[in-house]
Amino acid sequence: MVPRRAAAAMARALPAPPPARVFAELDAAPAPVPVPVPAPLGRAGPPVPPGREVHVSGSAELSARPDRARVSLRLGSRKEAAGAARSSVSRRLEYIAHSARLRGVPEENMTVTEDFSRVENTYQMEAEVSIIFSDFGKMQTVCNQLTEKLGTAVTISPPHFYHTPEAIDTLRRQVCVAAVGNTQRKAQEVCRLFGQSLGKPLLIKEEETKEWGGHIDSYLPRSTDSLTLQERIQSATAYASSRVFAVFEIKGKENRRNKLL
């Protein structure tokens, strides 16, 4: 048997229980102001029954993989003659562009930057090609082909994965719709628990949204050279959550026949 003082000390040492979470509540809405209705033959009209509501909160969390990847390729040539330096780089640029076009990459997704300079008694031509892919399988095929054909004559950087603004907007809409759907299902469960039938929504309000992870289109350098392709995609995955508060009308007793079905 534990002495009273010891029991009290043990009770003080135990953590307080977490507060109860209320995700739904049934409310009797205040009765609306009656509207005068002309009664036939001088009789009073029927009283307007007070409305009933169910207040529910729900949430959802979704993720979206990146929908774009940018690959940068660098190449250069240093020759005694200016024309030879230019020609060497131009032939490789044409081959890179041709390989990308064969895989369905549009011209507007390829950007070429060239730099021509004189170094001592030679001419140096350098170029960088930036290619944006929406199909990651085609990206790997193009990069493997260029590595096989050009070898050390071209330097291919690891792909940078990111989201377009349209992809982020789609994720925001989807997570909001999912949160509303979860909230409505909660309301239906509460109504069934009390043998009631859920009516139309009276109020739907998004209370909180959060976003984290993922990369937006950016040229910022990232020290992720040791990551695998799948690890890069995972690190660029975007997440979003939404919490919704809703008020639904309660229509009345649930139809038992529908319940059995």
Side-chain angles (χ1 to χ4, degrees), residues 6 17 27 47 56 88 103-104 137 139 184 197 209 212-213 243:
D27 263 5
V56 189
S88 174
R103 296 297 172 181
M139 174 194 71
Q184 185 177 22
S197 178
T209 58
W212 65 96
R243 190 178 69 212

Side-chain angles (χ1 to χ4, degrees), residues 157-172:
S157 68
H160 169 65
F161 295 96
Y162 64 94
H163 294 81
T164 57
E166 294 79 12
I168 294 297
D169 288 340
T170 299
L171 176 61
R172 290 168 180 161

Side-chain angles (χ1 to χ4, degrees), residues 98-207:
H98 177 69
S99 300
R101 282 194 295 267
L102 283 179
R103 296 297 172 181
V105 179
E107 290 288 344
E108 57 267 22
N109 284 8
M110 291 183 282
T111 305
V112 179
T113 305
E114 298 179 355
D115 180 57
F116 185 75
S117 60
R118 184 179 176 88
V119 181
E120 297 178 350
N121 294 326
T122 61
Y123 295 92
Q124 182 170 294
M125 179 71 177
E126 294 181 332
E128 180 178 357
V129 184
S130 177
I131 307 177
I132 297 175
F133 293 90
S134 57
D135 187 320
F136 302 155
K138 292 181 179 180
M139 174 194 71
Q140 288 182 281
T141 301
V142 171
C143 290
N144 292 341
Q145 181 182 347
L146 294 177
T147 299
E148 179 183 353
K149 297 298 182 180
L150 299 179
T152 57
V154 63
T155 301
I156 304 176
S157 68
H160 169 65
F161 295 96
Y162 64 94
H163 294 81
T164 57
E166 294 79 12
I168 294 297
D169 288 340
T170 299
L171 176 61
R172 290 168 180 161
R173 291 194 300 270
Q174 289 175 341
V175 75
C176 180
V177 171
V180 172
N182 291 340
T183 305
Q184 185 177 22
R185 281 187 288 273
K186 275 188 177 183
Q188 288 174 338
E189 291 173 5
V190 172
C191 286
R192 289 191 186 123
L193 182 64
F194 291 94
Q196 303 294 314
S197 178
L198 186 68
K200 63 183 179 181
L202 304 177
L203 171 68
I204 297 178
K205 180 175 67 174
E206 191 173 34
E207 291 188 318

Side-chain angles (χ1 to χ4, degrees), residues 57-94:
S57 62
S59 60
E61 180 181 313
L62 295 177
S63 63
R65 290 158 62 94
D67 61 325
R68 293 291 187 277
R70 181 186 296 106
V71 176
S72 296
L73 305 94
R74 294 180 177 86
L75 55 154
S77 178
R78 190 170 177 177
K79 304 286 185 180
E80 293 183 357
R86 288 183 182 275
S87 176
S88 174
V89 172
S90 296
R91 287 196 302 270
R92 281 174 283 169
L93 286 176
E94 290 176 2

Side-chain angles (χ1 to χ4, degrees), residues 18-34:
R21 281 193 311 162
V22 177
F23 70 83
E25 61 180 356
L26 291 168
D27 263 5
V33 178

